Amino acid sequence: MQSKAILGQEDVTRILAAARAEAQKNNWAVGIAVVDDGGHLLAFERLDGAAASTAYIAPGKARTSALGRKESVVFEEMVNNGRTAFLSGNLMTCLEGAVPLIHEGQVIGAVGVSGVKPAEDAQVAKAGAAALA
């Protein structure tokens, strides 16, 4: 039998706090989602001023990153380079702004952000992911 690491509530709280701090430092109104390795939502936070749509987009980006085991920008680039069939996958949100959470070489979840420019969403997500180190 194999075992795997999982995100605990303390981990999720730390990830959200780090992502929130990065967003607030830059005055960015965003939604922040943390999911497990199966793409299931563990936590979501919508900062003051963030659009209601971030409640859908951030978890979608995070789910894409967790299930795809890569940053969501990789899937956006695939679509932009002509692989439009990827858009038919109902589990994928092919937009930049999510990164996988990796522990000992294994993806244990992801953090997704929505609300500002794509690279800025990714910056906030990466700040959250760095809280696991």
Side-chain angles (χ1 to χ4, degrees):
M1 173 110 16
Q2 297 181 10
S3 61
K4 68 177 186 176
I6 61 169
L7 289 167
Q9 191 58 49
E10 287 182 19
D11 301 317
V12 172
T13 300
R14 206 166 57 248
I15 292 163
L16 279 176
R20 180 187 329 106
E22 181 68 17
Q24 290 174 331
K25 177 180 85 175
N26 292 288
N27 294 311
W28 294 335
V30 298
I32 305 161
V34 179
V35 300
D36 66 13
D37 62 334
H40 306 286
L41 189 63
L42 297 174
F44 175 78
E45 185 170 347
R46 190 169 109 198
L47 302 184
D48 291 344
S53 61
T54 66
Y56 293 94
I57 297 171
K61 289 179 180 184
R63 182 176 42 258
T64 297
S65 185
L67 293 175
R69 308 293 195 240
K70 3 179 120 87
E71 291 189 30
S72 60
V73 69
V74 171
F75 302 103
E76 180 177 6
E77 289 169 352
M78 288 172 61
V79 171
N80 289 342
N81 288 325
R83 185 89 195 274
T84 56
F86 225 88
L87 294 172
S88 65
N90 63 357
L91 293 177
M92 305 306 259
T93 300
C94 300
L95 300 169
E96 182 176 3
V99 297
L101 298 168
I102 301 171
H103 176 75
E104 296 180 357
Q106 298 294 315
V107 174
I108 60 170
V111 56
V113 178
S114 177
V116 287
K117 295 177 182 176
E120 295 167 348
D121 286 344
Q123 180 179 329
V124 174
K126 288 174 182 176
L132 280 183

